[in-house]
């Protein structure tokens, strides 16, 4: 009986603090629709550069970052990010995610990368390049996928688990592999 009471109190405190945290985040975001859900240990940086649509669900241990001058991150309505997702737009980079997108666990979406052309300079000291990532609506990104700078993923596409997307993905395409290549089409077309 006492243990059940203890568990009920503990659950109540978790709900209370989660609601407070969601209210704080909503107040500081550039824009936010109704129904935001944040899991445990979600990290968000520079909230004023992040726009979230309605009914966005961000699960446990995700990182949603828009860091540096000119960084932009926009996530549409009804987007669900599973556990341990990393989405980062740094200085002069942008990430745009459409509506009704499913993002599987351990997905990485980055709008920039390191340059590595020069052998006389360590990679760490070489410049970075900045880009934009655009993900259309009704897209499913499978577990452990990586999406790099400069990529556009068309509406209704599927990115298979473990894929590394380095080129644009056509609407309705199903891609997989490293690097990601077309392996099918949604809707029985082609």
């Amino acid at each position: 009986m006492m243990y059940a009471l203890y568990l009920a109190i503990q659950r109540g405190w978790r709900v209370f603090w989660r609601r407070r945290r969601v209210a704080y985040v909503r107040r500081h975001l550039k824009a936010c629709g109704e129904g935001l859900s944040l899991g445990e240990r979600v990290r968000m940086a520079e909230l004023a550069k992040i726009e979230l649509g309605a009914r966005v669900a961000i699960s446990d241990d995700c990182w949603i970052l828009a860091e540096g001058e000119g960084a932009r991150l926009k996530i549409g309505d009804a987007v669900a990010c599973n556990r341990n997702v990393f989405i980062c737009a740094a200085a002069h980079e942008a990430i745009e995610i459409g509506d009704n997108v499913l993002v599987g666990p351990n997905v990485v979406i980055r709008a920039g990368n390191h340059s590595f052309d020069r052998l006389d300079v360590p990679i760490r000291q070489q410049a970075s390049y900045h880009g934009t990532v655009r993900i259309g609506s009704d897209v499913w990104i499978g577990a452990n996928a990586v999406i790099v700078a400069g990529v556009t993923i068309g509406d209704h596409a599927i990115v298979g688990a473990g894929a590394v997307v380095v080129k644009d993905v056509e609407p309705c395409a199903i891609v997989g592999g490293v690097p990601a290549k077309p392996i099918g089409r949604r809707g029985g077309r082609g």
Side-chain angles (χ1 to χ4, degrees):
M1 174 99 167
M2 291 301 285
Y3 185 68
L5 178 62
Y6 166 77
L7 288 177
I9 292 170
Q10 188 177 33
R11 193 173 19 244
W13 275 111
R14 271 199 308 263
V15 168
F16 170 77
W17 285 111
R18 188 174 287 176
R19 286 182 181 161
R20 277 194 67 139
R21 190 159 151 249
V22 167
Y24 173 85
V25 168
R26 284 181 54 83
R27 269 194 317 273
H28 291 87
L29 287 168
K30 181 175 182 178
C32 185
E34 293 298 318
L36 174 62
S37 172
L38 296 176
E40 308 258 336
R41 298 170 305 280
V42 171
R43 293 166 183 86
M44 299 178 89
E46 299 199 35
L47 297 172
K49 297 175 184 175
I50 299 173
E51 297 178 52
L52 300 179
R55 300 174 318 282
V56 171
I58 301 171
S59 193
D60 299 343
D61 301 306
C62 291
W63 291 52
I64 311 294
L65 313 172
E67 301 179 304
E69 183 181 338
R72 293 180 297 114
L73 199 157
K74 183 176 182 178
I75 297 176
D77 296 339
V79 172
C81 293
N82 210 312
R83 297 176 67 96
N84 201 40
V85 169
F86 183 82
I87 301 173
C88 180
H92 310 293
E93 298 171 359
I95 296 174
E96 300 169 8
I97 299 174
D99 300 333
N100 299 302
V101 174
L102 296 174
V103 182
N106 306 312
V107 167
V108 174
I109 302 171
R110 282 285 288 125
N113 209 344
H114 297 283
S115 295
F116 52 85
D117 296 332
R118 295 183 56 188
L119 297 177
D120 60 325
V121 177
I123 292 173
R124 159 180 210 151
Q125 295 173 1
Q126 293 186 43
S128 296
Y129 63 88
H130 311 288
T132 299
V133 172
R134 288 184 178 85
I135 299 171
S137 294
D138 187 34
V139 171
W140 179 16
I141 302 170
N144 302 304
V146 176
I147 299 169
V148 301
V151 167
T152 296
I153 298 175
D155 294 343
H156 314 292
I158 296 175
V159 175
V164 178
V165 182
V166 298
K167 293 182 180 177
D168 291 352
V169 176
E170 292 182 14
C172 298
I174 301 171
V175 298
V178 180
K181 294 183 174 146
I183 58 174
R185 305 265 315 149
R186 278 187 72 191
R189 296 181 293 257

Short mmCIF file of all heavy atoms in Angstrom, two decimals, residues 81-129:
data_model
loop_
_atom_site.label_atom_id
_atom_site.label_comp_id
_atom_site.label_asym_id
_atom_site.label_seq_id
_atom_site.Cartn_x
_atom_site.Cartn_y
_atom_site.Cartn_z
N CYS A 81 9.62 12.24 -33.25
CA CYS A 81 11.03 11.86 -33.18
C CYS A 81 11.18 10.80 -32.11
O CYS A 81 10.87 11.03 -30.94
CB CYS A 81 11.90 13.06 -32.82
SG CYS A 81 11.98 14.32 -34.08
N ASN A 82 11.65 9.63 -32.50
CA ASN A 82 11.88 8.54 -31.57
C ASN A 82 13.10 8.83 -30.70
O ASN A 82 13.72 9.88 -30.83
CB ASN A 82 12.03 7.23 -32.35
CG ASN A 82 11.56 6.03 -31.58
OD1 ASN A 82 11.91 5.84 -30.43
ND2 ASN A 82 10.76 5.19 -32.23
N ARG A 83 13.49 7.90 -29.88
CA ARG A 83 14.58 8.10 -28.92
C ARG A 83 15.92 8.41 -29.59
O ARG A 83 16.22 7.90 -30.65
CB ARG A 83 14.75 6.85 -28.07
CG ARG A 83 13.55 6.51 -27.22
CD ARG A 83 13.76 5.21 -26.49
NE ARG A 83 14.79 5.34 -25.51
CZ ARG A 83 14.57 5.60 -24.20
NH1 ARG A 83 13.36 5.74 -23.77
NH2 ARG A 83 15.58 5.70 -23.38
N ASN A 84 16.69 9.26 -28.93
CA ASN A 84 18.09 9.50 -29.27
C ASN A 84 18.30 10.08 -30.67
O ASN A 84 19.28 9.77 -31.34
CB ASN A 84 18.91 8.21 -29.09
CG ASN A 84 20.37 8.50 -28.92
OD1 ASN A 84 20.76 9.45 -28.25
ND2 ASN A 84 21.20 7.69 -29.54
N VAL A 85 17.39 10.92 -31.12
CA VAL A 85 17.53 11.59 -32.42
C VAL A 85 18.39 12.83 -32.23
O VAL A 85 18.26 13.54 -31.23
CB VAL A 85 16.14 11.96 -32.99
CG1 VAL A 85 16.26 12.89 -34.18
CG2 VAL A 85 15.38 10.70 -33.36
N PHE A 86 19.28 13.11 -33.20
CA PHE A 86 20.15 14.28 -33.17
C PHE A 86 19.88 15.12 -34.41
O PHE A 86 20.15 14.67 -35.53
CB PHE A 86 21.62 13.84 -33.13
CG PHE A 86 22.59 14.97 -33.03
CD1 PHE A 86 22.89 15.55 -31.82
CD2 PHE A 86 23.23 15.46 -34.17
CE1 PHE A 86 23.81 16.60 -31.72
CE2 PHE A 86 24.14 16.50 -34.09
CZ PHE A 86 24.42 17.07 -32.86
N ILE A 87 19.31 16.31 -34.23
CA ILE A 87 19.02 17.23 -35.33
C ILE A 87 19.75 18.53 -35.04
O ILE A 87 19.50 19.15 -34.01
CB ILE A 87 17.51 17.50 -35.47
CG1 ILE A 87 16.75 16.19 -35.72
CG2 ILE A 87 17.24 18.50 -36.58
CD1 ILE A 87 15.24 16.33 -35.71
N CYS A 88 20.67 18.93 -35.93
CA CYS A 88 21.50 20.10 -35.63
C CYS A 88 21.70 20.98 -36.85
O CYS A 88 22.19 20.52 -37.89
CB CYS A 88 22.86 19.66 -35.10
SG CYS A 88 23.95 21.04 -34.71
N ALA A 89 21.32 22.24 -36.70
CA ALA A 89 21.64 23.29 -37.67
C ALA A 89 22.55 24.27 -36.94
O ALA A 89 22.14 24.90 -35.97
CB ALA A 89 20.37 23.98 -38.16
N ALA A 90 23.78 24.39 -37.39
CA ALA A 90 24.73 25.32 -36.78
C ALA A 90 24.67 26.66 -37.53
O ALA A 90 23.76 26.89 -38.33
CB ALA A 90 26.13 24.73 -36.80
N ALA A 91 25.65 27.51 -37.30
CA ALA A 91 25.67 28.85 -37.90
C ALA A 91 25.50 28.78 -39.42
O ALA A 91 26.16 27.98 -40.09
CB ALA A 91 26.97 29.55 -37.55
N HIS A 92 24.59 29.60 -39.93
CA HIS A 92 24.33 29.71 -41.37
C HIS A 92 23.82 28.42 -42.01
O HIS A 92 24.00 28.19 -43.19
CB HIS A 92 25.56 30.22 -42.12
CG HIS A 92 26.15 31.44 -41.49
ND1 HIS A 92 25.50 32.66 -41.47
CD2 HIS A 92 27.30 31.63 -40.82
CE1 HIS A 92 26.24 33.54 -40.82
NE2 HIS A 92 27.34 32.95 -40.43
N GLU A 93 23.19 27.56 -41.21
CA GLU A 93 22.62 26.31 -41.69
C GLU A 93 21.12 26.30 -41.42
O GLU A 93 20.63 27.02 -40.55
CB GLU A 93 23.27 25.11 -41.00
CG GLU A 93 24.75 25.00 -41.26
CD GLU A 93 25.44 23.95 -40.41
OE1 GLU A 93 24.78 23.29 -39.58
OE2 GLU A 93 26.66 23.81 -40.56
N ALA A 94 20.40 25.48 -42.16
CA ALA A 94 18.94 25.39 -41.97
C ALA A 94 18.47 23.96 -42.15
O ALA A 94 18.99 23.22 -42.98
CB ALA A 94 18.21 26.29 -42.96
N ILE A 95 17.49 23.59 -41.34
CA ILE A 95 16.82 22.30 -41.47
C ILE A 95 15.33 22.57 -41.47
O ILE A 95 14.82 23.27 -40.60
CB ILE A 95 17.20 21.33 -40.33
CG1 ILE A 95 18.69 21.00 -40.38
CG2 ILE A 95 16.35 20.05 -40.40
CD1 ILE A 95 19.20 20.16 -39.23
N GLU A 96 14.64 22.01 -42.48
CA GLU A 96 13.19 22.15 -42.59
C GLU A 96 12.59 20.76 -42.71
O GLU A 96 12.95 20.00 -43.61
CB GLU A 96 12.82 22.97 -43.83
CG GLU A 96 13.39 24.38 -43.82
CD GLU A 96 13.23 25.08 -45.16
OE1 GLU A 96 12.55 24.53 -46.05
OE2 GLU A 96 13.81 26.16 -45.32
N ILE A 97 11.67 20.44 -41.80
CA ILE A 97 11.00 19.14 -41.80
C ILE A 97 9.51 19.39 -41.97
O ILE A 97 8.92 20.19 -41.25
CB ILE A 97 11.30 18.37 -40.49
CG1 ILE A 97 12.81 18.13 -40.35
CG2 ILE A 97 10.52 17.06 -40.44
CD1 ILE A 97 13.23 17.50 -39.04
N GLY A 98 8.89 18.71 -42.94
CA GLY A 98 7.47 18.90 -43.24
C GLY A 98 6.55 18.29 -42.19
O GLY A 98 6.96 17.96 -41.08
N ASP A 99 5.29 18.10 -42.57
CA ASP A 99 4.26 17.56 -41.68
C ASP A 99 4.22 16.04 -41.75
O ASP A 99 4.57 15.44 -42.76
CB ASP A 99 2.89 18.11 -42.08
CG ASP A 99 2.82 19.63 -42.00
OD1 ASP A 99 3.56 20.23 -41.20
OD2 ASP A 99 2.01 20.21 -42.75
N ASN A 100 3.74 15.43 -40.66
CA ASN A 100 3.50 13.98 -40.60
C ASN A 100 4.74 13.17 -40.92
O ASN A 100 4.69 12.20 -41.69
CB ASN A 100 2.35 13.59 -41.55
CG ASN A 100 1.06 14.27 -41.15
OD1 ASN A 100 0.59 14.10 -40.03
ND2 ASN A 100 0.52 15.07 -42.04
N VAL A 101 5.86 13.55 -40.32
CA VAL A 101 7.13 12.85 -40.53
C VAL A 101 7.41 11.96 -39.32
O VAL A 101 7.24 12.39 -38.18
CB VAL A 101 8.27 13.86 -40.76
CG1 VAL A 101 9.62 13.16 -40.83
CG2 VAL A 101 8.02 14.66 -42.03
N LEU A 102 7.85 10.75 -39.59
CA LEU A 102 8.28 9.82 -38.54
C LEU A 102 9.80 9.71 -38.60
O LEU A 102 10.36 9.42 -39.66
CB LEU A 102 7.68 8.43 -38.77
CG LEU A 102 6.17 8.32 -38.69
CD1 LEU A 102 5.73 6.91 -39.09
CD2 LEU A 102 5.69 8.64 -37.29
N VAL A 103 10.45 9.95 -37.47
CA VAL A 103 11.91 9.87 -37.39
C VAL A 103 12.24 8.76 -36.40
O VAL A 103 11.91 8.85 -35.22
CB VAL A 103 12.52 11.21 -36.92
CG1 VAL A 103 14.04 11.12 -36.90
CG2 VAL A 103 12.07 12.36 -37.82
N GLY A 104 12.87 7.70 -36.90
CA GLY A 104 13.19 6.54 -36.08
C GLY A 104 14.28 6.83 -35.06
O GLY A 104 14.91 7.90 -35.07
N PRO A 105 14.55 5.87 -34.18
CA PRO A 105 15.57 6.06 -33.14
C PRO A 105 16.97 6.19 -33.74
O PRO A 105 17.28 5.61 -34.78
CB PRO A 105 15.44 4.82 -32.27
CG PRO A 105 14.78 3.80 -33.13
CD PRO A 105 13.92 4.55 -34.09
N ASN A 106 17.79 6.97 -33.06
CA ASN A 106 19.22 7.14 -33.38
C ASN A 106 19.48 7.78 -34.73
O ASN A 106 20.57 7.62 -35.29
CB ASN A 106 19.95 5.78 -33.30
CG ASN A 106 19.75 5.11 -31.98
OD1 ASN A 106 19.90 5.72 -30.93
ND2 ASN A 106 19.35 3.86 -32.02
N VAL A 107 18.54 8.52 -35.27
CA VAL A 107 18.73 9.21 -36.54
C VAL A 107 19.56 10.47 -36.32
O VAL A 107 19.42 11.15 -35.31
CB VAL A 107 17.36 9.56 -37.18
CG1 VAL A 107 17.51 10.54 -38.33
CG2 VAL A 107 16.67 8.29 -37.64
N VAL A 108 20.43 10.78 -37.28
CA VAL A 108 21.24 12.00 -37.25
C VAL A 108 20.90 12.82 -38.49
O VAL A 108 20.96 12.31 -39.61
CB VAL A 108 22.76 11.68 -37.23
CG1 VAL A 108 23.58 12.95 -37.35
CG2 VAL A 108 23.12 10.91 -35.98
N ILE A 109 20.54 14.10 -38.27
CA ILE A 109 20.28 15.03 -39.37
C ILE A 109 21.16 16.24 -39.13
O ILE A 109 20.98 16.95 -38.14
CB ILE A 109 18.79 15.44 -39.43
CG1 ILE A 109 17.90 14.20 -39.58
CG2 ILE A 109 18.56 16.43 -40.56
CD1 ILE A 109 16.42 14.49 -39.43
N ARG A 110 22.12 16.48 -40.02
CA ARG A 110 23.07 17.59 -39.88
C ARG A 110 23.07 18.44 -41.13
O ARG A 110 23.10 17.91 -42.24
CB ARG A 110 24.49 17.05 -39.68
CG ARG A 110 24.79 16.56 -38.31
CD ARG A 110 24.99 17.68 -37.30
NE ARG A 110 26.25 18.37 -37.54
CZ ARG A 110 26.36 19.68 -37.72
NH1 ARG A 110 25.33 20.46 -37.72
NH2 ARG A 110 27.52 20.23 -37.92
N ALA A 111 23.05 19.75 -40.96
CA ALA A 111 23.04 20.67 -42.10
C ALA A 111 24.42 21.20 -42.44
O ALA A 111 24.55 22.10 -43.26
CB ALA A 111 22.08 21.82 -41.82
N GLY A 112 25.45 20.67 -41.84
CA GLY A 112 26.82 21.10 -42.14
C GLY A 112 27.77 19.93 -41.95
O GLY A 112 27.39 18.87 -41.48
N ASN A 113 29.02 20.16 -42.34
CA ASN A 113 30.02 19.11 -42.19
C ASN A 113 31.40 19.73 -42.23
O ASN A 113 31.57 20.89 -42.57
CB ASN A 113 29.87 18.07 -43.30
CG ASN A 113 30.33 16.70 -42.86
OD1 ASN A 113 31.02 16.55 -41.87
ND2 ASN A 113 29.93 15.69 -43.62
N HIS A 114 32.40 18.93 -41.89
CA HIS A 114 33.79 19.38 -41.92
C HIS A 114 34.35 19.26 -43.33
O HIS A 114 34.05 18.32 -44.05
CB HIS A 114 34.66 18.52 -41.00
CG HIS A 114 34.28 18.61 -39.57
ND1 HIS A 114 34.59 19.68 -38.78
CD2 HIS A 114 33.58 17.76 -38.78
CE1 HIS A 114 34.11 19.49 -37.56
NE2 HIS A 114 33.48 18.33 -37.54
N SER A 115 35.20 20.20 -43.69
CA SER A 115 36.00 20.06 -44.91
C SER A 115 37.17 19.16 -44.56
O SER A 115 37.63 19.13 -43.42
CB SER A 115 36.49 21.42 -45.38
OG SER A 115 35.41 22.22 -45.77
N PHE A 116 37.68 18.45 -45.56
CA PHE A 116 38.78 17.53 -45.29
C PHE A 116 39.73 17.39 -46.47
O PHE A 116 40.51 16.44 -46.56
CB PHE A 116 38.24 16.15 -44.89
CG PHE A 116 37.25 15.58 -45.87
CD1 PHE A 116 37.66 14.87 -46.98
CD2 PHE A 116 35.89 15.78 -45.66
CE1 PHE A 116 36.74 14.36 -47.88
CE2 PHE A 116 34.96 15.26 -46.55
CZ PHE A 116 35.39 14.55 -47.66
N ASP A 117 39.69 18.37 -47.38
CA ASP A 117 40.48 18.28 -48.61
C ASP A 117 41.98 18.38 -48.40
O ASP A 117 42.76 17.72 -49.08
CB ASP A 117 40.04 19.36 -49.61
CG ASP A 117 38.61 19.16 -50.06
OD1 ASP A 117 38.15 18.00 -50.07
OD2 ASP A 117 37.94 20.14 -50.40
N ARG A 118 42.40 19.20 -47.45
CA ARG A 118 43.84 19.45 -47.27
C ARG A 118 44.46 18.42 -46.34
O ARG A 118 43.97 18.19 -45.24
CB ARG A 118 44.05 20.85 -46.72
CG ARG A 118 43.60 21.93 -47.70
CD ARG A 118 43.86 23.30 -47.20
NE ARG A 118 45.27 23.49 -46.87
CZ ARG A 118 45.75 24.56 -46.26
NH1 ARG A 118 44.93 25.55 -45.94
NH2 ARG A 118 47.02 24.67 -45.98
N LEU A 119 45.56 17.85 -46.78
CA LEU A 119 46.28 16.89 -45.94
C LEU A 119 47.29 17.56 -45.02
O LEU A 119 47.74 16.96 -44.05
CB LEU A 119 46.99 15.85 -46.82
CG LEU A 119 46.06 14.99 -47.68
CD1 LEU A 119 46.88 14.05 -48.57
CD2 LEU A 119 45.11 14.20 -46.81
N ASP A 120 47.66 18.82 -45.33
CA ASP A 120 48.65 19.53 -44.52
C ASP A 120 48.02 20.21 -43.30
O ASP A 120 48.73 20.76 -42.46
CB ASP A 120 49.40 20.56 -45.36
CG ASP A 120 48.47 21.60 -45.95
OD1 ASP A 120 47.32 21.24 -46.31
OD2 ASP A 120 48.88 22.77 -46.07
N VAL A 121 46.70 20.17 -43.18
CA VAL A 121 45.98 20.79 -42.07
C VAL A 121 45.08 19.73 -41.45
O VAL A 121 44.31 19.07 -42.16
CB VAL A 121 45.12 21.99 -42.57
CG1 VAL A 121 44.33 22.59 -41.43
CG2 VAL A 121 45.99 23.03 -43.25
N PRO A 122 45.14 19.54 -40.12
CA PRO A 122 44.25 18.56 -39.49
C PRO A 122 42.78 18.90 -39.79
O PRO A 122 42.40 20.07 -39.87
CB PRO A 122 44.54 18.73 -38.00
CG PRO A 122 45.92 19.31 -37.94
CD PRO A 122 46.03 20.19 -39.15
N ILE A 123 41.97 17.87 -39.96
CA ILE A 123 40.54 18.06 -40.25
C ILE A 123 39.90 19.02 -39.26
O ILE A 123 39.12 19.89 -39.63
CB ILE A 123 39.80 16.71 -40.26
CG1 ILE A 123 40.27 15.86 -41.44
CG2 ILE A 123 38.29 16.90 -40.29
CD1 ILE A 123 39.71 14.45 -41.43
N ARG A 124 40.24 18.87 -38.03
CA ARG A 124 39.66 19.70 -36.98
C ARG A 124 39.90 21.19 -37.21
O ARG A 124 39.13 22.03 -36.77
CB ARG A 124 40.24 19.21 -35.66
CG ARG A 124 40.19 20.14 -34.56
CD ARG A 124 40.78 19.55 -33.33
NE ARG A 124 40.05 20.21 -32.26
CZ ARG A 124 39.80 19.73 -31.12
NH1 ARG A 124 40.22 18.55 -30.81
NH2 ARG A 124 39.13 20.40 -30.23
N GLN A 125 40.99 21.55 -37.90
CA GLN A 125 41.32 22.95 -38.12
C GLN A 125 40.86 23.46 -39.48
O GLN A 125 41.02 24.63 -39.80
CB GLN A 125 42.84 23.14 -37.99
CG GLN A 125 43.33 22.87 -36.58
CD GLN A 125 44.85 22.90 -36.49
OE1 GLN A 125 45.55 23.13 -37.46
NE2 GLN A 125 45.35 22.64 -35.30
N GLN A 126 40.29 22.58 -40.30
CA GLN A 126 39.79 23.02 -41.60
C GLN A 126 38.40 23.62 -41.45
O GLN A 126 37.68 23.35 -40.49
CB GLN A 126 39.77 21.84 -42.58
CG GLN A 126 41.17 21.34 -42.91
CD GLN A 126 41.17 20.28 -43.97
OE1 GLN A 126 40.46 20.40 -44.96
NE2 GLN A 126 41.98 19.24 -43.77
N ALA A 127 38.03 24.42 -42.40
CA ALA A 127 36.72 25.09 -42.37
C ALA A 127 35.60 24.06 -42.46
O ALA A 127 35.79 22.94 -42.90
CB ALA A 127 36.62 26.08 -43.52
N SER A 128 34.44 24.50 -42.05
CA SER A 128 33.24 23.68 -42.21
C SER A 128 32.46 24.22 -43.40
O SER A 128 32.63 25.37 -43.79
CB SER A 128 32.36 23.77 -40.96
OG SER A 128 33.03 23.23 -39.85
N TYR A 129 31.61 23.39 -43.97
CA TYR A 129 30.71 23.92 -44.99
C TYR A 129 29.28 23.82 -44.46
O TYR A 129 28.95 22.95 -43.67
CB TYR A 129 30.88 23.24 -46.34
CG TYR A 129 30.57 21.77 -46.39
CD1 TYR A 129 29.28 21.31 -46.65
CD2 TYR A 129 31.58 20.83 -46.22
CE1 TYR A 129 28.99 19.97 -46.71
CE2 TYR A 129 31.30 19.47 -46.29
CZ TYR A 129 30.01 19.05 -46.53
OH TYR A 129 29.74 17.71 -46.59
#
